[in-house]
Amino acid sequence: MRHLLGIQELSAEEICKLVELARSFLALSRRPVKKAPILRGKTVINLFFEPSTRTRTSFEIAGKRLGADVVNLSAKASAVEKGETLLDTARTLQAMNADVIVIRHRLAGAPHLIAQHLARGAVVNAGDGAHEHPTQVLADLVTLAEHGGWEGKTIAIVGDIAHSRVARSHLWASRKLGYRVRLVAPKTLLPAEVERFGCEVFTDLDAAIEGADVLYMLRVQTERLESRALFPSLREYHEAYGLTKARLARAKKGCLVMHPGPMNRGVEIASEVADGLASLVLEQVEHGVAARMAVLVSLCGGEAS
Ligand code: CP
């Protein structure tokens, strides 16, 4: 693996290998001394053009737990603010001999563009527009693996599908790994030509919940709505598409609840569900660190890869 640009580019075998490698790092992250200097001497640069709490922090923690030097660069504090292009920024970081550049960008394809132009070093997609978020899905797969696996399971992905890179990465993963995805949203939050995705599509959440093993709730990405009114109000959205305790009670026994974060409590998910027994939200966060450790080791080499 030279870069990690998307789940689309990975084979089922490569995905499973990354998930298993990540699971092997879970015990390390729970030890009092959380260090395995597999990547000592390597340099990881986090280049974030969009806000992030989970992804950026977990890449930093992952790199540091593995002994790498990690540098965080936010677009607002960089020469991008003075007009430097994305490619010149990436080439500058390459000239400093970065081993891995982790990039989040609002434009789909930005990590791919950098990867095409860098002769050395690896590029990791930490979320590009509404295109892909591969390391979030690797974290989710670690979570599913820790809860009995994904084989034969049905995951209902609910909410703002139109803007969701996580939903698209899960669609790729589901095709390769053999789990079923249901997309659930009002028509206005479904992408154009959604039937091309080749999965079940629902506009009625209560119908979609029936028989689902996992309810994967998505944040309404109000920052990407560009002042377009795609639903009457957040209150009405919650009534139709919010996961409440009453709705969850009607789901299959043992149904799990996931959310990539950050959550809009009271919009797509009620607090009592987010903090309830079925919720895996904080496990997803913990597994995100292990997933990113696996990605860094796989890209930089090291004894564990
Ligand atoms: N899930 C996710 O990507 O969260 P952040 O935006 O906080 O990184």
Side-chain angles (χ1 to χ4, degrees):
M1 205 165 78
R2 166 83 203 280
H3 306 288
L4 177 61
L5 301 176
I7 297 292
Q8 182 180 6
E9 286 86 2
L10 298 179
S11 66
E13 193 187 346
E14 285 170 318
I15 298 170
C16 292
K17 210 173 154 192
L18 282 166
V19 170
E20 284 317 306
L21 184 56
R23 292 179 82 191
S24 76
F25 286 128
L26 290 175
L28 170 77
S29 290
R30 291 169 189 158
R31 287 198 322 227
V33 179
K34 305 166 184 61
K35 283 273 185 194
I38 299 165
L39 299 185
R40 190 162 39 208
K42 302 288 184 186
T43 303
V44 177
I45 300 187
N46 278 330
L47 179 59
F48 277 62
F49 290 86
E50 279 190 335
S52 167
T53 296
R54 278 146 286 271
T55 313
R56 191 166 99 160
T57 311
S58 59
F59 266 112
E60 182 174 357
I61 291 173
K64 286 180 172 169
R65 283 193 183 155
L66 294 166
D69 296 312
V70 183
V71 177
N72 291 311
L73 184 60
S74 75
K76 284 212 161 24
S78 75
V80 170
E81 283 290 292
K82 301 179 200 167
E84 189 165 56
T85 66
L86 178 62
L87 276 182
D88 279 336
T89 303
R91 287 189 186 110
T92 301
L93 301 178
Q94 182 190 240
M96 296 175 191
N97 293 310
D99 295 287
V100 182
I101 297 175
V102 179
I103 175 170
R104 170 171 287 189
H105 202 284
R106 69 182 171 79
L107 293 179
H112 305 66
L113 180 75
I114 292 181
Q116 275 165 20
H117 286 83
L118 292 193
R120 289 177 282 111
V123 177
V124 178
N125 181 357
D128 62 327
H131 179 229
E132 278 232 38
H133 194 349
T135 59
Q136 177 63 51
V137 167
L138 290 172
D140 297 341
L141 292 172
V142 173
T143 307
L144 291 172
E146 291 287 303
H147 286 270
W150 52 71
E151 214 170 308
K153 296 278 171 67
T154 297
I155 301 184
I157 303 182
V158 185
D160 190 354
I161 310 287
H163 300 104
S164 177
R165 48 200 176 206
V166 176
R168 280 168 183 73
S169 289
H170 263 297
L171 283 164
W172 284 114
S174 67
R175 281 186 204 171
K176 289 163 199 263
L177 301 178
Y179 59 93
R180 278 183 296 277
V181 165
R182 291 177 179 170
L183 299 179
V184 193
K187 281 202 175 102
T188 50
L189 288 178
L190 285 169
E193 299 182 51
V194 68
E195 58 284 353
R196 282 193 304 125
F197 290 130
C199 63
E200 288 183 286
V201 179
F202 292 75
T203 50
D204 178 351
L205 175 56
D206 292 304
I209 283 177
E210 213 170 292
D213 299 285
V214 178
L215 299 175
Y216 195 104
M217 308 310 292
L218 294 175
R219 183 173 69 88
V220 176
Q221 299 190 34
T222 43
E223 75 278 17
R224 297 193 209 270
L225 296 182
E226 293 161 358
S227 72
R228 287 174 296 153
L230 297 182
F231 45 84
S233 68
L234 291 176
R235 188 181 57 77
E236 283 171 81
Y237 180 87
H238 179 68
E239 271 171 30
Y241 293 97
L243 186 57
T244 58
K245 205 171 165 186
R247 276 207 166 102
L248 184 59
R250 293 197 290 274
K252 188 172 168 178
K253 194 167 180 284
C255 180
L256 300 169
V257 175
M258 297 175 76
H259 193 305
M263 293 184 281
N264 284 325
R265 289 172 180 261
V267 180
E268 71 269 5
I269 190 165
S271 272
E272 55 191 357
V273 175
D275 303 327
L277 289 176
S279 172
L280 304 181
V281 172
L282 293 179
E283 281 188 46
Q284 289 172 266
V285 175
E286 183 190 16
H287 299 159
V289 176
R292 282 145 190 144
M293 288 170 84
V295 168
L296 293 178
V297 167
S298 298
L299 292 171
C300 288
E303 277 166 28
S305 63

mmCIF file of all heavy atoms in Angstrom, residues 5 26 85 88 91 98 104 113 151 185 199 208 213-214 218 247 277 299 301:
data_model
loop_
_atom_site.group_PDB
_atom_site.id
_atom_site.type_symbol
_atom_site.label_atom_id
_atom_site.label_comp_id
_atom_site.label_asym_id
_atom_site.label_seq_id
_atom_site.Cartn_x
_atom_site.Cartn_y
_atom_site.Cartn_z
ATOM 1 N N LEU A 5 -6.130 6.231 -0.003
ATOM 2 C CA LEU A 5 -6.958 7.306 -0.555
ATOM 3 C C LEU A 5 -8.438 7.023 -0.395
ATOM 4 O O LEU A 5 -9.256 7.948 -0.368
ATOM 5 C CB LEU A 5 -6.604 7.520 -2.031
ATOM 6 C CG LEU A 5 -5.129 7.891 -2.275
ATOM 7 C CD1 LEU A 5 -4.833 7.996 -3.750
ATOM 8 C CD2 LEU A 5 -4.776 9.194 -1.563
ATOM 9 N N LEU A 26 -5.187 -2.662 20.052
ATOM 10 C CA LEU A 26 -6.141 -2.238 21.086
ATOM 11 C C LEU A 26 -5.566 -2.436 22.489
ATOM 12 O O LEU A 26 -5.700 -1.570 23.360
ATOM 13 C CB LEU A 26 -7.473 -2.991 20.948
ATOM 14 C CG LEU A 26 -8.323 -2.613 19.725
ATOM 15 C CD1 LEU A 26 -9.547 -3.510 19.624
ATOM 16 C CD2 LEU A 26 -8.736 -1.145 19.792
ATOM 17 N N THR A 85 -0.663 27.348 -3.039
ATOM 18 C CA THR A 85 -1.584 26.319 -3.549
ATOM 19 C C THR A 85 -1.450 25.048 -2.721
ATOM 20 O O THR A 85 -0.455 24.831 -2.016
ATOM 21 C CB THR A 85 -1.282 25.972 -5.022
ATOM 22 O OG1 THR A 85 0.012 25.339 -5.061
ATOM 23 C CG2 THR A 85 -1.314 27.190 -5.911
ATOM 24 N N ASP A 88 1.700 23.168 -3.869
ATOM 25 C CA ASP A 88 2.952 23.751 -3.357
ATOM 26 C C ASP A 88 3.091 23.455 -1.865
ATOM 27 O O ASP A 88 4.196 23.204 -1.375
ATOM 28 C CB ASP A 88 2.995 25.263 -3.625
ATOM 29 C CG ASP A 88 3.422 25.559 -5.059
ATOM 30 O OD1 ASP A 88 4.088 24.699 -5.660
ATOM 31 O OD2 ASP A 88 3.065 26.630 -5.574
ATOM 32 N N ARG A 91 4.209 19.828 -1.698
ATOM 33 C CA ARG A 91 5.605 19.671 -2.138
ATOM 34 C C ARG A 91 6.562 20.221 -1.065
ATOM 35 O O ARG A 91 7.647 19.692 -0.855
ATOM 36 C CB ARG A 91 5.835 20.417 -3.456
ATOM 37 C CG ARG A 91 5.202 19.731 -4.649
ATOM 38 C CD ARG A 91 5.660 20.392 -5.945
ATOM 39 N NE ARG A 91 4.950 19.844 -7.086
ATOM 40 C CZ ARG A 91 4.042 20.512 -7.804
ATOM 41 N NH1 ARG A 91 3.750 21.762 -7.515
ATOM 42 N NH2 ARG A 91 3.445 19.943 -8.818
ATOM 43 N N ALA A 98 8.728 14.430 4.877
ATOM 44 C CA ALA A 98 7.602 13.813 5.591
ATOM 45 C C ALA A 98 7.407 12.404 5.042
ATOM 46 O O ALA A 98 7.470 12.183 3.838
ATOM 47 C CB ALA A 98 6.337 14.628 5.358
ATOM 48 N N ARG A 104 -7.094 16.347 5.254
ATOM 49 C CA ARG A 104 -8.555 16.522 5.175
ATOM 50 C C ARG A 104 -8.811 17.787 4.373
ATOM 51 O O ARG A 104 -8.202 18.833 4.638
ATOM 52 C CB ARG A 104 -9.183 16.643 6.562
ATOM 53 C CG ARG A 104 -10.648 17.059 6.473
ATOM 54 C CD ARG A 104 -11.366 16.988 7.778
ATOM 55 N NE ARG A 104 -11.612 15.603 8.161
ATOM 56 C CZ ARG A 104 -12.379 15.257 9.196
ATOM 57 N NH1 ARG A 104 -12.946 16.182 9.929
ATOM 58 N NH2 ARG A 104 -12.558 13.993 9.493
ATOM 59 N N LEU A 113 -5.038 14.145 -5.747
ATOM 60 C CA LEU A 113 -4.225 15.095 -6.507
ATOM 61 C C LEU A 113 -2.820 15.165 -5.911
ATOM 62 O O LEU A 113 -1.819 15.109 -6.644
ATOM 63 C CB LEU A 113 -4.888 16.481 -6.456
ATOM 64 C CG LEU A 113 -4.163 17.581 -7.201
ATOM 65 C CD1 LEU A 113 -4.365 17.437 -8.702
ATOM 66 C CD2 LEU A 113 -4.644 18.969 -6.757
ATOM 67 N N GLU A 151 -20.233 -9.963 8.930
ATOM 68 C CA GLU A 151 -20.745 -10.906 7.924
ATOM 69 C C GLU A 151 -22.258 -11.110 8.068
ATOM 70 O O GLU A 151 -22.741 -11.413 9.174
ATOM 71 C CB GLU A 151 -20.026 -12.239 8.060
ATOM 72 C CG GLU A 151 -19.838 -12.916 6.728
ATOM 73 C CD GLU A 151 -18.918 -14.121 6.848
ATOM 74 O OE1 GLU A 151 -17.808 -13.973 7.392
ATOM 75 O OE2 GLU A 151 -19.342 -15.180 6.415
ATOM 76 N N ALA A 185 -33.109 8.305 4.402
ATOM 77 C CA ALA A 185 -33.070 9.774 4.452
ATOM 78 C C ALA A 185 -34.309 10.336 3.773
ATOM 79 O O ALA A 185 -34.940 9.648 2.962
ATOM 80 C CB ALA A 185 -31.821 10.286 3.725
ATOM 81 N N CYS A 199 -28.041 -0.415 -3.423
ATOM 82 C CA CYS A 199 -28.441 -0.904 -2.094
ATOM 83 C C CYS A 199 -29.890 -0.484 -1.843
ATOM 84 O O CYS A 199 -30.462 0.291 -2.615
ATOM 85 C CB CYS A 199 -27.517 -0.349 -1.014
ATOM 86 S SG CYS A 199 -27.598 1.427 -0.872
ATOM 87 N N ALA A 208 -37.130 1.170 7.874
ATOM 88 C CA ALA A 208 -35.725 0.781 7.703
ATOM 89 C C ALA A 208 -35.147 0.121 8.946
ATOM 90 O O ALA A 208 -34.242 -0.720 8.865
ATOM 91 C CB ALA A 208 -34.899 2.017 7.346
ATOM 92 N N ASP A 213 -29.356 -4.684 11.967
ATOM 93 C CA ASP A 213 -28.474 -5.071 13.078
ATOM 94 C C ASP A 213 -27.782 -3.863 13.684
ATOM 95 O O ASP A 213 -27.407 -3.869 14.854
ATOM 96 C CB ASP A 213 -27.408 -6.053 12.573
ATOM 97 C CG ASP A 213 -28.025 -7.322 12.031
ATOM 98 O OD1 ASP A 213 -28.460 -8.147 12.842
ATOM 99 O OD2 ASP A 213 -28.104 -7.468 10.788
ATOM 100 N N VAL A 214 -27.581 -2.851 12.847
ATOM 101 C CA VAL A 214 -26.902 -1.634 13.312
ATOM 102 C C VAL A 214 -27.649 -0.425 12.764
ATOM 103 O O VAL A 214 -27.988 -0.390 11.570
ATOM 104 C CB VAL A 214 -25.426 -1.587 12.819
ATOM 105 C CG1 VAL A 214 -24.747 -0.301 13.275
ATOM 106 C CG2 VAL A 214 -24.632 -2.804 13.291
ATOM 107 N N LEU A 218 -26.160 9.567 11.081
ATOM 108 C CA LEU A 218 -25.256 10.580 10.518
ATOM 109 C C LEU A 218 -25.661 11.972 10.976
ATOM 110 O O LEU A 218 -26.851 12.271 11.113
ATOM 111 C CB LEU A 218 -25.315 10.552 8.988
ATOM 112 C CG LEU A 218 -24.802 9.296 8.285
ATOM 113 C CD1 LEU A 218 -25.071 9.424 6.788
ATOM 114 C CD2 LEU A 218 -23.312 9.080 8.531
ATOM 115 N N ARG A 247 -38.075 4.647 19.355
ATOM 116 C CA ARG A 247 -37.793 4.007 18.051
ATOM 117 C C ARG A 247 -36.848 2.825 18.232
ATOM 118 O O ARG A 247 -37.043 1.764 17.656
ATOM 119 C CB ARG A 247 -37.126 5.011 17.107
ATOM 120 C CG ARG A 247 -38.090 5.882 16.384
ATOM 121 C CD ARG A 247 -37.516 6.365 15.054
ATOM 122 N NE ARG A 247 -38.584 6.910 14.262
ATOM 123 C CZ ARG A 247 -38.812 8.224 14.122
ATOM 124 N NH1 ARG A 247 -38.029 9.102 14.692
ATOM 125 N NH2 ARG A 247 -39.818 8.631 13.390
ATOM 126 N N LEU A 277 -27.101 1.996 26.430
ATOM 127 C CA LEU A 277 -26.338 0.743 26.410
ATOM 128 C C LEU A 277 -26.029 0.246 25.000
ATOM 129 O O LEU A 277 -25.029 -0.437 24.779
ATOM 130 C CB LEU A 277 -27.113 -0.346 27.170
ATOM 131 C CG LEU A 277 -27.177 -0.164 28.696
ATOM 132 C CD1 LEU A 277 -28.049 -1.241 29.321
ATOM 133 C CD2 LEU A 277 -25.769 -0.188 29.298
ATOM 134 N N LEU A 299 1.716 1.881 5.998
ATOM 135 C CA LEU A 299 2.305 2.781 5.000
ATOM 136 C C LEU A 299 3.805 3.015 5.209
ATOM 137 O O LEU A 299 4.540 3.211 4.261
ATOM 138 C CB LEU A 299 1.585 4.131 5.020
ATOM 139 C CG LEU A 299 0.141 4.103 4.533
ATOM 140 C CD1 LEU A 299 -0.542 5.439 4.795
ATOM 141 C CD2 LEU A 299 0.071 3.776 3.049
ATOM 142 N N GLY A 301 5.871 0.946 6.933
ATOM 143 C CA GLY A 301 6.643 -0.248 7.259
ATOM 144 C C GLY A 301 6.731 -0.389 8.759
ATOM 145 O O GLY A 301 6.023 0.282 9.495
#
